[in-house]
Amino acid sequence: MGTTPGDAYVRAASAPWTSLADVPAHLLQTRRDDPYPFFAWLRRNAPVLHERKRSGSVWHVAGYADVRTLLSDARLSKRPELVPAYVPGPAGLNRHLVHADPPEHTRLRGLVNTAFIPRRVAALEPLIARTAHDLLDRLPEFGVVDLIEEFAMPLTFSLICTILGVPDELNTARTRQILAATVVPSADAARRAVQERELYDYLLALVAHKRAHAAAGLAEADLLGALVAAHDGSDHLSEEELIGTAYLLLLVGHDTTVNLIGNGMLALLRHPAELLRLREEPELMPTAIEELLRYDSPVRDATFRVSTAPIELAGGVIPAGAIVSLLIGSANRDGGWFPEPDRLDLARQANDHLAFGRGPHFCIGAALARMEARVAFGLLLARWPRISLAFRVEDLRWRPSRVMRGLERLPVMLG
């Protein structure tokens, strides 16, 4: 029987390299709902873990120093086509800056970067506050509500739609459902194909709307209109890149922040002393948000990377052509970098977490996510001083995403 380069290497590798088969079963069974015991085991016993998947050999990297370094390592490519068996996402929607290396990445990022510079993000604060107030006004003064479905999702999606210039008739709950289905795709191939086709048709309609407005002399000062103009005017953006970039911005532009608000509120509600501390010291909000990003990161694993050359790491070598999974959630709980890493400390200083990544692929919407979180947490805590969890933590369900870490629902008791 033949072996892959990865298989041959695993047999020859010395500790602390190991394979998924060596991980205690109970840690594997619980890693979706609570990955942190699994991550702690990896950092102690297998800072580089090998896993065989249908898409190819995957190496999971757990330690902070290694993850931080590799996030900026040019030997790791973002191009999924280098691993033919790997399925990066919905068909026809994968040509965007997350799946590109320089110079393509530099070109694509430059086209969207101006919409997310701090000055422009700061100008959005009144809109964020109005939108959040309107959503909270619709909630009852007392009773159980789902903070994800009724607040975090519509808040973040409404804002990214404003930035992109999505018209009201295309900013709907159904659109959010379509996008959510791509984060956790259906296991049924036929159903998945229908969902992807619906999403693709939606994006085509969105681009057509922008083109029609531009042709009628009604061009709007929004990001999607600028991207359409870049494609139609100077061919800096292919049609596939245009559609893929629209998809990426709609999805990532709100999904990460939904997780930040949901994971962050859950952490606060599970740590009443820290929650009280934040109420009594609201000036802690900036450091509190950084700590919530570190403590339960909205992105668990960094997005796709593949090695283009052998990489020496932790006493072994990752071969060329391997998928490399950088475990951001694990790195952010590394006790070698963060004192008492499993303790929530809203005043934590020198908090150099990796929740938004690092290097050329640092999250382009980081400033926007931080501002949305600051407004959301501030208003929620001010309006409902006695907000509490409405269900046991053990009954909460986490979405089975391969990259994101976020709750399906967050039922809370208001009043």
Side-chain angles (χ1 to χ4, degrees):
M1 181 182 294
T3 60
T4 67
D7 295 334
Y9 180 78
V10 168
R11 288 199 300 272
S14 59
W17 291 56
T18 187
S19 70
L20 202 66
D22 299 314
V23 180
H26 72 279
L27 295 178
L28 294 178
Q29 293 166 359
T30 59
R31 63 175 171 167
R32 186 178 79 184
D33 291 342
D34 183 8
Y36 297 107
F38 168 67
F39 289 157
W41 188 93
L42 291 184
R43 292 192 302 272
R44 287 193 306 269
N45 302 285
V48 182
L49 177 78
H50 178 240
E51 180 179 7
R52 295 179 180 88
K53 290 187 173 183
R54 285 179 297 178
S55 56
S57 285
V58 180
W59 272 260
H60 301 280
V61 182
Y64 179 94
D66 292 334
V67 171
R68 177 187 169 102
T69 298
L70 290 177
L71 282 168
S72 301
D73 196 314
R75 292 172 295 178
L76 291 181
S77 172
K78 299 285 287 176
R79 295 166 55 205
E81 63 266 25
L82 297 181
V83 183
Y86 180 79
V87 180
L93 300 177
N94 295 301
R95 291 293 302 276
H96 49 65
L97 59 91
V98 167
H99 290 156
D101 296 331
E104 289 80 11
H105 173 263
T106 307
R107 171 176 57 86
L108 292 170
R109 190 175 179 105
L111 287 169
V112 301
N113 192 52
T114 55
F116 297 98
I117 59 177
R119 174 176 53 82
R120 290 197 174 184
V121 169
L124 291 169
E125 184 169 6
L127 172 64
I128 299 171
R130 286 197 306 272
T131 306
H133 273 295
D134 289 345
L135 289 167
L136 294 179
D137 286 344
R138 300 174 192 174
L139 301 182
E141 288 299 317
F142 301 93
V144 176
V145 301
D146 177 5
L147 211 57
I148 301 293
E149 181 64 28
E150 299 182 60
F151 179 67
M153 284 191 69
L155 172 66
T156 59
F157 192 70
S158 175
L159 187 62
I160 195 61
C161 284
T162 298
I163 292 171
L164 284 173
V166 176
D168 290 342
E169 63 270 22
L170 294 177
N171 175 1
T172 66
R174 177 57 187 159
T175 305
R176 297 199 302 271
Q177 292 170 359
I178 295 170
L179 285 166
T182 69
V183 176
V184 186
S186 172
D188 180 81
R191 179 177 175 81
R192 187 167 62 249
V194 170
Q195 292 171 337
E196 291 182 1
R197 184 70 234 184
E198 187 175 4
L199 175 60
Y200 192 81
D201 289 344
Y202 168 84
L203 293 167
L204 286 178
L206 185 55
V207 170
H209 171 89
K210 286 297 169 188
R211 284 197 170 117
H213 271 231
L218 300 173
E220 299 148 320
D222 55 60
L223 180 54
L224 188 55
L227 293 175
V228 169
H231 169 269
D232 295 349
S234 54
D235 209 25
H236 286 165
L237 204 62
S238 71
E239 186 75 8
E240 191 177 8
E241 289 171 338
L242 174 60
I243 298 295
T245 300
Y247 161 66
L248 174 72
L249 293 171
L250 271 174
L251 177 65
V252 180
H254 88 284
D255 198 57
T256 304
T257 313
V258 169
N259 294 346
L260 169 54
I261 294 172
N263 298 4
M265 279 304 300
L266 176 61
L268 291 173
L269 293 171
R270 294 183 67 186
H271 296 82
E274 287 299 287
L275 176 57
L276 178 61
R277 183 185 190 186
L278 184 57
R279 291 189 190 282
E280 294 179 344
E281 303 175 58
E283 66 275 11
L284 284 179
M285 186 63 79
T287 59
I289 290 172
E290 300 309 308
E291 175 69 346
L292 294 172
L293 282 161
R294 182 202 69 85
Y295 183 79
D296 203 0
S297 302
V299 177
R300 183 193 61 220
D301 302 358
T303 50
F304 174 87
R305 282 167 172 81
V306 57
S307 56
T308 59
I311 298 174
E312 294 185 12
L313 191 70
V317 179
I318 297 176
I323 298 172
V324 181
S325 170
L326 304 179
L327 300 176
I328 286 175
S330 174
N332 284 343
R333 291 285 191 101
D334 191 333
W337 195 270
F338 301 100
E340 297 183 86
D342 295 321
R343 182 170 71 90
L344 184 70
D345 177 6
L346 299 186
R348 186 181 294 270
Q349 299 298 313
N351 195 344
D352 194 13
H353 63 76
L354 302 174
F356 290 125
R358 192 173 183 84
H361 286 274
F362 181 81
C363 178
I364 201 167
L368 178 62
R370 286 178 167 118
M371 175 171 286
E372 288 183 84
R374 178 168 60 80
V375 172
F377 291 136
L379 292 179
L380 282 168
L381 299 183
R383 185 169 296 207
W384 285 288
R386 296 184 179 181
I387 188 173
S388 61
L389 285 173
F391 284 77
R392 297 187 311 161
V393 172
E394 295 80 7
D395 294 331
L396 296 173
R397 296 183 59 185
W398 296 83
R399 292 186 296 166
S401 168
R402 64 188 178 193
V403 171
M404 300 292 189
R405 173 162 168 80
L407 291 159
E408 291 184 356
R409 302 174 61 238
L410 181 57
V412 296
M413 175 68 73
L414 303 179

